[in-house]
Amino acid sequence: MNNNLKKQTKIDVNKLSGEFYFQSLLQEAYVKGALSPKESERIQLECLKLLADCTERFTKGKSSSVRVEIAQGIMASNLYTIGIYLKSLPDVDAALFHIENEPIEKLYEYGYQVLKRKINVANYFFNRVRKSKLKTANQAYNITIDQGFKPFFESYEINFHVHEIPSDIDYQLIHPVTDLAGVEFVIKYLESLYYENLFCSYFDADIIHEVMSGYDESYKNLLDNIGAQVFQNALGCQLLNVPLSPLDFSPADLNGLDKKLKSRHPAELQRQLEIAAWELITDLELTNPSLKKYLIASLPQITTTVHKGLASHALNKVFVPRYNPNIKPLVHYNMGIKMDDQAYRELVVEFLSCRFFDDKLAIIKEHIKTLADMEDLLIAGELESPEAAMIFDLLEDIELAVLTKRHPLHPAIDAIDYSASEIRLQQNLDAYMRALPRDRLAQILSMTTAIEVV
Amino acid sequence: MSFDLMLFDHFLIEKQAVSEVLLCNKITEDYALVLSEEQALELVETRSYSLKNFGRIEFGGGIIEKVILTFADTPYISQYRYAEFLNELVEIFYYFKNETLDLMSDDDLIGYMKKYFDGVCQGSLDQLKFRELERMAKNVRLGLDPDYNDLYDSEKLMEEEDDDE
């Protein structure tokens, strides 16, 4: 007989904060009556005494007063240290028992010892992460591992600033670490990153590079997660019952996936992805239970992504076909020779002074002979979106493809790198492209990958 | 129950501080300077007000005892206005603790206060606050010797030039 009797406790564990564990536990215990007002007053006084002692150590006994921000920092650090010890106890009742029966100073000392052990754990995971580091061009990933944790291991201050995280962590995880601080945050982050590395190590680094290039050619500058995309692609392959290692999809594969998943309800979709995930785990012979748990926990998020991809007919953004950026383009497009500067200046002045758009069109038809001049005029012409659209109508698909390649719209990344006129062209072009029939748009976009502008 | 520092029960802190201040009477009695319990409480309240005003926090009797004991032998104070004088000194102390960016220890700051008060200021709190300590704080912030005085230096230079002539 499985005896799973659980001891009843007044305190709701779910209401406790991970970052401010001690404070939230005291608050919860006080509210629920598990801690008497007298006890709580004792704890406050003892915390105050501990703060006084720590402040004295902080000032090396040379100053009896400190600025409030400093005292608040020291207090937060002390409470964090105590919290870290209480978390190490088997359950909340044990934690409460210790709070009631041990002086706060003692709890702080125990916490301090736990803290030292935690730093060793962080070190252990950091070494594992470094050993399993993926060969990738993604800068956030590389910088986070190579340099991001240096400040932590070199200058983590466990006496007065233990709740702070002196590190430069840019790389985003599948499961972002929340509700933790200090060394606990670092451990959780490194542990998660290690599992992601471990999963990626089952695939070839060059293939992962191509998958990520398919996701976005400039992925090396992005803060997006690599492991999540690899897992998504692997799931797609698993759903198609094709070998996992290539992580690639042909248009026919994507159609197949679309048909297979299209009419599914989100709950059904998640169940199907879960089955595929377990098959994937078996096929890859993943043995690490924590890694399995980590991957399975990301399924709700992936289900939402797949569902959105299906709804917006953009499954190729979820199950990304591989793209090798090193393959030379098939078409070399020459933009043509630009007209004389003086003539161009006069043309622009005339163009801008036109009252009617028909006159502007006439100028374009009469004087613009190359795409290079057209591009300059589109930038300098101060055109409204409908006007620009009418000019784009004059262009052929390959010319639109060239313009799209040269002026992609990346408002978040490049906004500061371009002038207002260039951004206006990007926006006009983007609006025009969005209004095109899907087939034509797909054709133009596929051209952009095969063109090299000379 | 909140652990916000500013919400700690100030009554508990003040009660402890008052009893520590009153203990100083045993020593200052020799100089005919005594604080009543009411005055001690007022002094502690001044401290609390100054700490709050200058964004600082202190534990126990803190510097009040040090100020009382250091200034006990100054020739410029008597029992008359003794409490008022201490209140002002406490306020000045915290103001300059901030102005010196915590670079100076309590003992050093009180030591300089006493030195200037008994010396060039000749018992004037205004001169102490607005002239000597301002100059000293500026020196500390600039990494100079606290006693450095460019006015004295230029006077000295002028005297030397006169001597040469």
Side-chain angles (χ1 to χ4, degrees):
Chain A
M1 197 176 78
N2 192 4
N3 202 348
N4 262 344
L5 282 178
K6 253 188 161 181
K7 195 185 167 191
Q8 288 294 314
T9 174
K10 281 182 184 176
I11 294 164
D12 186 356
V13 182
N14 297 322
K15 283 189 182 171
L16 301 182
S17 158
E19 192 177 346
F20 307 104
Y21 185 78
F22 182 43
Q23 295 96 309
S24 63
L25 178 60
L26 287 178
Q27 190 146 5
E28 194 61 16
Y30 186 71
V31 169
K32 293 281 163 64
L35 207 63
S36 66
K38 204 176 165 188
E39 268 296 299
S40 92
E41 192 179 308
R42 175 193 67 86
I43 293 163
Q44 279 198 63
L45 271 177
E46 285 189 26
C47 284
L48 201 62
K49 193 179 168 298
L50 180 64
L51 176 63
D53 293 345
C54 288
T55 307
E56 199 178 341
R57 271 193 290 132
F58 181 78
T59 61
K60 296 182 181 125
K62 287 182 177 173
S63 180
S64 62
S65 66
V66 286
R67 275 180 286 123
V68 169
E69 309 89 83
I70 290 172
Q72 277 171 334
I74 295 172
M75 180 61 123
S77 174
N78 290 349
L79 299 179
Y80 177 88
T81 308
I82 295 168
I84 220 166
Y85 168 67
L86 297 174
K87 273 190 207 175
S88 71
L89 297 170
D91 56 27
V92 179
D93 287 326
L96 213 54
F97 178 81
H98 274 74
I99 291 172
E100 283 170 333
N101 295 292
E102 297 264 18
I104 292 296
E105 207 180 335
K106 268 270 174 273
L107 295 181
Y108 176 79
E109 277 171 28
Y110 297 149
Y112 196 78
Q113 297 308 320
V114 176
L115 207 59
K116 283 182 182 170
R117 288 203 296 273
K118 292 254 178 197
I119 291 170
N120 290 338
V121 175
N123 230 322
Y124 165 79
F125 275 114
F126 184 55
N127 285 330
R128 300 299 291 260
V129 165
R130 277 205 300 199
K131 276 182 189 162
S132 60
K133 191 183 162 215
L134 184 65
K135 240 176 80 184
T136 177
N138 188 275
Q139 287 181 2
Y141 177 86
N142 289 329
I143 290 173
T144 299
I145 297 176
D146 294 339
Q147 295 162 28
F149 289 96
K150 259 189 195 165
F152 177 80
F153 289 108
E154 281 172 7
S155 60
Y156 185 51
E157 221 284 273
I158 61 169
N159 288 307
F160 310 113
H161 303 105
V162 75
H163 59 301
E164 290 172 5
I165 313 162
S167 47
D168 305 320
I169 300 169
D170 292 329
Y171 185 67
Q172 306 295 309
L173 298 172
I174 298 178
H175 301 294
V177 182
T178 52
D179 199 27
L180 286 176
V183 68
E184 284 185 308
F185 174 92
V186 173
I187 290 174
K188 186 74 189 161
Y189 182 92
L190 288 170
E191 189 184 357
S192 302
L193 187 56
Y194 170 61
Y195 295 141
E196 290 183 18
N197 282 355
L198 204 59
F199 177 69
C200 288
S201 70
Y202 284 84
F203 301 92
D204 186 71
D206 292 332
I207 289 177
I208 293 175
H209 171 62
E210 287 180 20
V211 168
M212 291 312 292
S213 299
Y215 171 75
D216 193 311
E217 212 180 322
S218 57
Y219 86 96
K220 65 175 183 177
N221 299 322
L222 298 181
L223 293 174
D224 289 341
N225 184 271
I226 298 170
Q229 191 54 56
V230 174
F231 185 44
Q232 263 168 226
N233 269 30
L235 276 177
C237 291
Q238 189 66 48
L239 285 166
L240 286 167
N241 274 326
V242 294
L244 293 172
S245 55
L247 292 173
D248 200 11
F249 304 98
S250 65
D253 289 339
L254 290 173
N255 272 339
L257 278 172
D258 191 57
K259 272 182 197 159
K260 196 170 186 178
L261 305 172
K262 201 158 98 190
S263 51
R264 305 268 177 191
H265 187 268
E268 220 176 304
L269 189 63
Q270 184 166 341
R271 205 159 43 244
Q272 197 164 4
L273 286 170
E274 206 168 312
I275 293 166
W278 281 112
E279 285 170 359
L280 174 91
I281 286 166
T282 316
D283 287 358
L284 288 176
E285 294 172 3
L286 301 183
T287 48
N288 189 323
S290 304
L291 172 60
K292 289 183 205 173
K293 212 173 140 189
Y294 189 81
L295 292 174
I296 295 295
S298 67
L299 285 175
Q301 202 179 323
I302 294 178
T303 308
T304 314
T305 315
V306 173
H307 190 66
K308 276 186 195 162
L310 286 166
S312 56
H313 304 286
L315 212 55
N316 61 336
K317 299 284 173 202
V318 182
F319 302 111
V320 176
R322 270 164 54 191
Y323 167 67
N324 187 342
N326 298 326
I327 292 174
K328 293 281 176 207
L330 303 172
V331 180
H332 292 272
Y333 186 89
N334 192 330
M335 296 272 286
I337 299 165
K338 289 188 180 187
M339 70 170 75
D340 174 58
D341 283 353
Q342 181 60 30
Y344 174 73
R345 271 198 291 276
E346 284 166 10
L347 181 85
V348 170
V349 171
E350 195 184 344
F351 187 87
L352 291 173
S353 63
C354 286
R355 188 173 171 191
F356 300 108
F357 184 67
D358 287 344
D359 299 335
K360 290 184 181 178
L361 272 183
I363 290 172
I364 289 172
K365 282 177 183 166
E366 195 181 332
H367 296 286
I368 302 295
K369 305 291 181 206
T370 64
L371 190 62
D373 285 336
M374 179 64 101
E375 184 188 37
D376 285 347
L377 195 64
L378 282 166
I379 292 170
E382 296 178 7
L383 296 161
E384 294 298 322
S385 189
E387 292 178 339
M390 286 169 81
I391 296 174
F392 291 139
D393 276 339
L394 300 173
L395 302 177
E396 290 176 16
D397 283 359
I398 191 146
E399 290 168 328
L400 286 171
V402 169
L403 285 178
T404 311
K405 192 175 174 79
R406 286 172 60 81
H407 300 282
L409 182 69
H410 286 307
I413 309 165
D414 298 329
I416 48 168
D417 294 335
Y418 293 104
S419 66
S421 314
E422 283 172 304
I423 292 169
R424 185 195 289 230
L425 167 61
Q426 290 171 13
Q427 287 168 342
N428 286 342
L429 187 60
D430 186 64
Y432 177 76
M433 298 288 277
R434 279 172 192 275
L436 289 177
R438 197 182 304 158
D439 294 344
R440 191 173 167 215
L441 178 65
Q443 202 182 336
I444 293 172
L445 289 178
S446 68
M447 272 184 198
T448 57
T449 57
I451 288 178
E452 188 182 62
V453 183
V454 289
Chain B
M1 192 170 71
S2 171
F3 265 81
D4 188 337
L5 268 180
M6 301 312 282
L7 294 181
F8 266 119
D9 197 344
H10 282 275
F11 177 72
L12 292 166
I13 303 170
E14 285 182 2
K15 213 167 85 176
Q16 194 186 355
V18 168
S19 60
E20 284 174 23
V21 168
L22 287 174
L23 278 177
C24 296
N25 281 343
K26 285 184 181 169
I27 296 166
T28 55
E29 267 171 1
D30 296 345
Y31 302 96
L33 299 168
V34 177
L35 284 173
S36 67
E37 197 173 334
E38 200 182 320
Q39 285 170 329
L41 183 63
E42 191 191 330
L43 195 55
V44 171
E45 277 170 2
T46 302
R47 183 190 74 153
S48 304
Y49 169 78
S50 303
L51 285 168
K52 199 178 168 191
N53 206 17
F54 300 125
R56 300 184 69 83
I57 187 160
E58 191 175 60
F59 306 95
I63 58 99
I64 298 181
E65 300 151 78
K66 282 183 187 169
V67 170
I68 291 172
L69 297 179
T70 309
F71 280 83
D73 64 349
T74 179
Y76 296 104
I77 50 167
S78 59
Q79 179 63 33
Y80 174 68
R81 298 185 70 190
Y82 176 51
E84 194 186 325
F85 168 78
L86 285 178
N87 282 324
E88 284 215 44
L89 276 182
V90 166
E91 214 173 322
I92 289 171
F93 172 83
Y94 289 116
Y95 175 75
F96 283 101
K97 195 74 187 163
N98 274 0
E99 287 296 296
T100 52
L101 310 176
D102 285 294
L103 293 169
M104 196 172 252
S105 71
D106 289 355
D107 292 344
D108 286 351
L109 180 55
I110 294 171
Y112 278 108
M113 283 166 71
K114 173 82 182 343
K115 183 175 139 186
Y116 296 138
F117 183 76
D118 285 354
V120 287
C121 300
Q122 294 183 23
S124 164
L125 281 173
D126 281 352
Q127 281 192 27
L128 176 72
K129 186 178 176 182
F130 297 116
R131 197 181 69 191
E132 295 306 315
L133 290 179
E134 277 294 353
R135 178 184 51 75
M136 184 210 68
K138 191 177 157 195
N139 287 341
V140 171
R141 288 198 300 270
L142 293 173
L144 301 170
D145 183 79
D147 276 330
Y148 173 73
N149 192 337
D150 52 0
L151 187 70
Y152 293 156
D153 277 6
S154 51
E155 276 175 6
K156 215 185 254 177
L157 203 72
M158 282 164 75
E159 278 170 17
E160 278 170 12
E161 278 172 6
D162 290 344
D163 290 346
D164 287 346
E165 280 170 17

